[in-house]
Amino acid sequence: MLSLKLPQLLRVHQVPRVFWEDGIMSGYRRPTSSALDCVLSSFQMTNETVNIWTHFLPTWYFLWRLLALAGDPGFWAEPYHWPLLVFLLPACLYPFTSCCAHTFSSMSPRARHICYFLDYGALSLYSLGSLSWKALGLVRSSVRVPSPTPSCLTTSHSSTGWDCAGTGATAVGRRH
């Protein structure tokens, strides 16, 4: 029978300073952990467990949404969907990269820097993807292209902002 032992956790003074986190006094993993130790440590309460799981679960949600939308035959043919694709690809990549960074950052100081470098790069791509989605809304409002999105999910020109009172609701004060 296969028996896996969870890695021992350390206190802040037992790890090199590069691994220290402000306000975290215990729950550190060994700074020379193997990849298997890193994966196993995600199932025990370390200083990274919450970060790992709060990025791992959204990865699968956004991937599920992307695959559900991309499976529709008309998705690839309709140019309106391309900005959504540009948004959803980094929305899948960012939490996955962050999950990997938090999981494998205790392998070595160099691995820590590489992991977080990739994490910050994915976060930058996510911010660019979200800008493309917002830019589509600006283009729609300036050229008055019919929107496939219900008007209560887009911003209006009024000072009241959003108004979704029912299934057929429209934005209050929208200029035509």
Side-chain angles (χ1 to χ4, degrees), residues 85-103:
L85 179 66
V86 170
F87 170 73
L88 281 176
L89 285 174
C92 295
L93 179 70
Y94 156 62
F96 176 74
T97 307
S98 190
C99 174
C100 290
H102 289 287
T103 301

Side-chain angles (χ1 to χ4, degrees), residues 2-176:
L2 180 64
S3 170
L4 297 175
K5 185 179 175 188
L6 292 175
Q8 178 187 3
L9 299 181
L10 306 173
R11 297 196 52 80
V12 70
H13 64 277
Q14 295 173 306
V15 296
R17 191 173 280 278
V18 70
F19 290 94
W20 290 11
E21 298 288 339
D22 292 336
I24 307 293
M25 302 306 291
S26 63
Y28 289 91
R29 300 172 288 173
R30 231 175 355 103
T32 56
S33 298
S34 67
L36 179 62
D37 285 343
C38 291
V39 171
L40 288 176
S41 71
S42 65
F43 296 101
Q44 69 185 124
M45 232 17 214
T46 69
N47 63 335
E48 293 288 356
T49 304
V50 173
N51 287 326
I52 292 168
W53 287 102
T54 57
H55 289 95
F56 182 73
L57 296 175
T59 297
W60 293 106
Y61 172 75
F62 286 119
L63 189 61
W64 170 68
R65 293 302 302 153
L66 175 64
L67 293 175
L69 289 171
D72 182 24
F75 181 80
W76 298 101
E78 189 64 48
Y80 274 149
H81 296 146
W82 296 347
L84 179 61
L85 179 66
V86 170
F87 170 73
L88 281 176
L89 285 174
C92 295
L93 179 70
Y94 156 62
F96 176 74
T97 307
S98 190
C99 174
C100 290
H102 289 287
T103 301
F104 299 109
S105 65
S106 66
M107 292 180 75
S108 71
R110 183 174 182 181
R112 179 180 176 85
H113 291 298
I114 291 170
C115 285
Y116 286 114
F117 174 80
L118 294 173
D119 184 23
Y120 297 144
L123 179 60
S124 297
L125 284 175
Y126 173 73
S127 65
L128 286 174
S130 66
L131 284 175
S132 71
W133 186 245
K134 290 177 185 173
L136 178 67
L138 294 175
V139 169
R140 278 197 192 134
S141 66
S142 65
V143 294
R144 305 207 196 309
V145 176
S147 173
T149 308
S151 58
C152 65
L153 297 178
T154 60
T155 58
S156 67
H157 298 285
S158 72
S159 61
T160 58
W162 303 85
D163 182 30
C164 283
T167 56
T170 59
V172 175
R174 178 171 240 169
R175 296 179 193 158
H176 294 286

